[in-house]
Amino acid sequence: MSLLSIVNARLIDPASGRDEEGGIVCEDGKIIEIGDIIPRGDIIDAGGLILCPGLIDMRVRTGEPGRENRETLATAAQAAIAGGVTSVVLTPQTDPVIDNVSLVDYLIRKGEDLPFDVYISGALTKGLDGVSLTEIGLMREAGAVLFSNGSEPIGDAQIMRRLMSYAANFNALIANRAVEPSLSADTVAHESNFSSRLGLTASPAISERIMAERDIALAELTGGSILIDLISSKAALESIIRAKSRDLDVYCSVSVNHLCLNELDIGDYRSFAKLSPPLREESDRMALLNGINEGAIDVVVSDHDPRPAGEKRLPYAEAASGAVGLEILLSAGLTQVADGHLDLMAFLSTVTCNPADLLGLDCGRLAIGAPANLALIDPHKPWICESDKLRSRSKNTPFDGRRLTGRAVKTFYKGKEVFSL
């Protein structure tokens, strides 16, 4: 029997709305007491810092299997727990693609000995080809909690209709990128006066709205659920708000990068700020922040996409898109809280109870009997992001050199301290 008590904490639990002083007692990896506790076992004094559920990152790409030079599950775990993340959902973009039961099972087993929970997003189509449907039912039985086509949208509306109808039989959630392929193919930036001056091929924000509207209509037709993944524009958000007002099973996610950065952060062709979707205008960024505060955006993700320096240190148009984010997700969000743009409880909801509810997980909340996956946070701690000190194997981040506010100082997984700053 292992007992751990954390006392003198500010307990924040978005699932219940709890925000109060108190403590938590953990036994054998579970929470057994909350609030006005009787401390026993090993005792940690939180010193008045925030104690909340460990974060759930619903969009994490690693290089395992196939591209371990980018990131392994083990290195991703170290980055995650340093950022207060105790659960991750792996995207299917591996080599080979996670499009069958054996790979789902392999990765779940691979994650069993790591200091965080590993969940799997199975591929919607074989090899992510956008055409041949996978065995969603069998992969769900094997443990997959989400189904997507990674960064490639399902462009064919008839195939998407079949996927939604098929997935509805298993109560499976589908995620699809809000990208209209013919408008966004071979583009590297947001369509604006700024990208025109830089001479960059650009994707209009309306590309997101078109695909979002299509998938909303298909969700209504089939009765299925859809997560409109990685929106980055005010136009797409407005479509989702209208869909939610009609009580459709429509949800959306946004990358923390798009809450903190805009197209001007490309600067003088900074390839480390090349992302997919591209960074958009400041008005889009502010609309996304307001969407979180108003509850219209369900999930914030790191969109962790490790890339070696050789794939990023290229001319902007030739460089790979993507950035590491597991270690930065929490701090980037807390910085927006400190700046007065985000409500703390609203932000924490998008990285704890909301993804847990969408995926049917038992974590993401402070509740008796829930897993003791916890993050102890200093919301006022200033620090400078230095890419070479990040724990990810790859160091590609647009936040290099930026001042951030707030950080996880301790992370607990199944009642055991796995990280201390």
Side-chain angles (χ1 to χ4, degrees):
M1 180 178 71
S2 61
L3 274 171
L4 172 69
S5 298
I6 305 174
V7 301
N8 190 25
R10 178 187 173 188
L11 302 176
I12 294 186
D13 177 39
S16 63
R18 180 195 298 265
D19 185 351
E20 64 186 23
E21 294 182 0
I24 281 182
V25 180
C26 312
E27 181 179 20
D28 295 334
K30 300 286 187 180
I31 296 173
I32 64 168
E33 194 175 339
I34 309 172
D36 187 12
I37 65 169
I38 301 174
R40 56 243 196 226
D42 297 329
I43 299 174
I44 294 176
D45 188 338
L49 299 180
I50 292 171
L51 186 65
C52 70
L55 275 61
I56 302 168
D57 191 345
M58 273 184 62
R59 190 179 174 88
V60 173
R61 185 175 182 179
T62 71
E64 191 170 357
R67 293 296 303 273
E68 287 82 357
N69 63 311
R70 292 181 179 176
E71 190 87 280
T72 65
L73 287 175
T75 57
Q78 293 307 307
I81 60 177
V85 176
T86 55
S87 302
V88 299
V89 180
L90 303 181
T91 68
Q93 296 159 276
T94 53
D95 185 11
V97 171
I98 308 173
D99 58 7
N100 59 70
V101 169
S102 62
L103 276 169
V104 172
D105 182 67
Y106 166 78
L107 287 167
I108 290 175
R109 290 176 181 273
K110 188 81 173 177
E112 288 177 350
D113 296 325
L114 297 173
F116 67 172
D117 288 327
V118 174
Y119 298 100
I120 308 301
S121 174
L124 287 170
T125 59
K126 295 178 181 179
L128 303 178
D129 65 3
V131 177
S132 309
L133 276 59
T134 58
E135 295 284 356
I136 290 176
L138 293 178
M139 285 194 287
R140 183 156 176 78
E141 287 180 7
V145 298
L146 179 68
F147 296 89
S148 79
N149 224 47
S151 297
E152 300 300 322
I154 301 294
D156 189 304
Q158 181 69 304
I159 289 173
M160 191 61 180
R161 177 184 181 180
R162 291 172 182 165
L163 284 165
M164 283 191 181
S165 298
Y166 181 29
N169 292 325
F170 306 101
N171 196 29
L173 179 64
I174 283 181
N176 193 39
R177 284 288 308 277
V179 178
E180 206 296 312
S182 63
L183 284 174
S184 299
D186 301 320
T187 60
V188 298
H190 166 65
E191 185 177 284
S192 67
N193 291 334
F194 179 72
S195 61
S196 295
R197 288 197 298 271
L198 293 179
L200 298 174
T201 56
S203 169
I206 198 68
S207 168
E208 286 192 354
R209 180 179 173 183
I210 290 171
M211 186 61 85
E213 292 280 7
R214 187 206 74 174
D215 285 350
I216 289 166
L218 290 175
E220 186 171 23
L221 175 66
T222 62
S225 300
I226 182 70
L227 173 70
I228 299 175
D229 204 12
L230 292 184
I231 67 167
S232 63
S233 66
K234 180 180 179 181
L237 179 59
E238 289 172 344
S239 296
I240 291 161
I241 291 172
R242 288 193 294 270
K244 286 175 176 282
S245 72
R246 304 205 310 272
D247 293 325
L248 299 177
D249 283 335
V250 172
Y251 311 96
C252 68
S253 69
V254 62
S255 160
V256 74
N257 300 312
H258 292 80
L259 301 179
C260 301
L261 309 171
N262 63 32
E263 62 176 346
L264 300 182
D265 288 293
I266 294 173
D268 189 17
Y269 303 97
R270 292 183 62 238
S271 59
F272 279 71
K274 183 181 179 183
L275 305 171
S276 177
L279 294 172
R280 298 200 187 272
E281 298 176 21
E282 178 66 4
S283 59
D284 291 304
R285 186 180 79 90
M286 295 306 299
L288 296 177
L289 290 165
N290 290 335
I292 292 172
N293 291 333
E294 295 170 3
I297 293 175
D298 302 280
V299 178
V300 175
V301 299
S302 71
D303 192 24
H304 184 77
D305 189 357
R307 300 281 178 164
E311 295 183 25
K312 295 295 284 188
R313 297 190 184 282
L314 293 169
Y316 191 88
E318 300 174 20
S321 298
V324 295
L326 274 168
E327 197 170 341
I328 299 169
L329 170 61
L330 175 63
S331 292
L334 290 175
T335 299
Q336 295 304 309
V337 173
D339 289 345
H341 298 313
L342 269 185
D343 174 77
L344 175 62
M345 190 73 78
F347 167 63
L348 289 178
S349 295
T350 65
V351 290
T352 57
C353 59
N354 286 5
D357 290 343
L358 278 177
L359 302 176
L361 308 180
D362 62 356
C363 53
R365 62 196 70 241
L366 301 183
I368 292 175
N373 299 344
L374 309 166
L376 185 63
I377 299 168
D378 183 344
H380 306 298
K381 186 174 184 62
W383 65 289
I384 296 174
C385 178
E386 298 176 79
S387 61
D388 61 333
K389 294 183 179 179
L390 295 177
R391 290 162 178 82
S392 292
R393 177 162 287 183
S394 296
K395 311 297 181 182
N396 53 306
T397 174
F399 289 94
D400 187 33
R402 283 183 172 262
R403 296 182 181 272
L404 300 174
T405 302
R407 200 166 191 182
V409 296
K410 289 184 184 293
T411 303
F412 303 88
Y413 176 64
K414 294 183 178 179
K416 295 182 179 180
E417 183 180 307
V418 292
F419 170 77
S420 181
L421 189 64

